[in-house]
């Protein structure tokens, strides 16, 4: 635990160089995107837009942060040193995504509040409470996806590019912004294999105040564990 705390502290210090960008995405992005689309998305589909935006922010932020940090640390030789201290791969991934996770989850709640103020969704205390485990599980799953990509791809430039392509494909080609019912029936079983599907379901049900959100949050976390086990078969070095 001491090594993990030191690693998180290291990433927090290094993230100070990106504080302006993080503040931009924390404050400007959620308000701008919610205002911009509030005139287009109304009715029952507003919840899909709000939940999808939250999943986009959290999943993309954590996956990219883990993949990019591993790519940089592997390139400059620091990754081997960190691994030699006994820090497990999942600990490195969680530590690398910690700052981005905090900012992304805060951004998601600002999206919820902005959507509520515009009348797009109702956000009661129960919904706000249910959303937290859903977003934390999404963050964990995203971090483990970044870890898996880094275990597969060793080339610095290829990893940074592939992680961006994969994360956005998984968000926009999965039922994140639209219902599963819109997917052709033959393809629906494949939809549930998408890592972003349980994330979107958990957040969407949380906004509705449904306790079923906890089941989907657990499914998202379990998916993250499966990604971790797959990554461990290849290692990072």
């Amino acid at each position: 635990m001491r090594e993990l705390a030191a690693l998180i502290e290291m990433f927090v210090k290094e993230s100070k160089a990106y504080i302006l960008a993080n503040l931009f995405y924390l404050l400007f992005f959620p308000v701008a995107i919610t205002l911009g689309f509030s005139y287009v998305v109304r009715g029952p589909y507003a919840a899909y837009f709000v939940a999808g935006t939250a999943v986009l922010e959290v999943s993309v932020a954590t996956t990219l942060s883990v993949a990019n940090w591993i790519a940089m640390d592997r390139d400059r030789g620091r990754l081997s040193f960190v691994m030699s201290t006994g820090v497990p791969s999942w600990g490195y991934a969680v530590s690398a995504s910690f700052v981005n996770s905090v900012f992304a989850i805060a951004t998601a709640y600002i999206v919820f509040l902005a959507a509520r103020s515009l009348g797009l969704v109702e956000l009661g205390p129960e919904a706000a409470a249910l959303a937290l485990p859903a977003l934390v599980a999404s963050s964990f799953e995203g971090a483990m996806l970044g870890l898996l990509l880094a275990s597969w791809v060793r080339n610095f430039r290829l990893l940074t590019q592939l992680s961006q392509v994969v994360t956005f494909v998984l968000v926009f080609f999965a039922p994140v912004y639209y219902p599963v019912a819109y997917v052709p029936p033959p393809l629906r079983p494949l939809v549930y294999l998408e890592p972003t599907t349980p994330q979107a379901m958990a957040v969407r049900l949380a906004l509705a105040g449904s306790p079923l959100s906890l089941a989907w949050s657990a499914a998202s976390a379990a998916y993250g564990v499966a990604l971790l086990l797959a990554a461990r078969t290849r290692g990072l070095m």
Side-chain angles (χ1 to χ4, degrees), residues 65-77 79 92 150 153-157 159-160:
S65 63
V66 171
N68 290 338
W69 273 118
I70 291 177
M72 288 189 293
D73 281 353
R74 184 188 281 152
D75 188 60
R76 56 191 179 185
L79 182 62
Y92 179 93
V153 182
R154 305 305 170 100
N155 182 273
F156 176 87
R157 292 182 176 85
L159 176 56
T160 55

Side-chain angles (χ1 to χ4, degrees), residues 8-24:
I8 291 175
E9 182 181 0
M10 180 189 73
F11 281 117
V12 169
K13 289 180 178 179
E14 295 200 3
S15 297
K16 291 180 181 179
Y18 310 101
I19 189 65
L20 290 179
N22 284 331
L23 288 175
F24 170 82

Side-chain angles (χ1 to χ4, degrees), residues 114-132:
R116 179 188 179 188
S117 66
L118 293 170
L120 298 179
V121 295
E122 295 182 5
L123 186 68
E126 184 178 4
L130 287 170
L132 183 58

Side-chain angles (χ1 to χ4, degrees), residues 34-161:
T34 306
L35 283 174
F37 283 91
S38 63
Y39 298 100
V40 180
V41 183
R42 288 285 177 177
Y45 298 104
Y48 289 92
F49 161 69
V50 176
T53 301
V55 170
L56 169 68
E57 181 66 24
V58 175
S59 181
V60 170
T62 52
T63 301
L64 293 184
S65 63
V66 171
N68 290 338
W69 273 118
I70 291 177
M72 288 189 293
D73 281 353
R74 184 188 281 152
D75 188 60
R76 56 191 179 185
R78 190 173 70 174
L79 182 62
S80 58
F81 171 75
V82 172
M83 294 291 103
S84 68
T85 63
V87 174
S89 57
W90 66 265
Y92 179 93
V94 170
S95 302
S97 64
F98 178 77
V99 174
N100 285 53
S101 295
V102 171
F103 274 96
I105 291 174
T107 299
Y109 272 98
I110 294 177
V111 168
F112 297 157
L113 293 174
R116 179 188 179 188
S117 66
L118 293 170
L120 298 179
V121 295
E122 295 182 5
L123 186 68
E126 184 178 4
L130 287 170
L132 183 58
L135 294 171
V136 170
S138 176
S139 173
F140 173 73
E141 187 181 355
M144 295 306 107
L145 176 60
L147 181 66
L148 179 62
L149 292 174
S151 71
W152 283 350
V153 182
R154 305 305 170 100
N155 182 273
F156 176 87
R157 292 182 176 85
L158 181 59
L159 176 56
T160 55
Q161 295 178 65

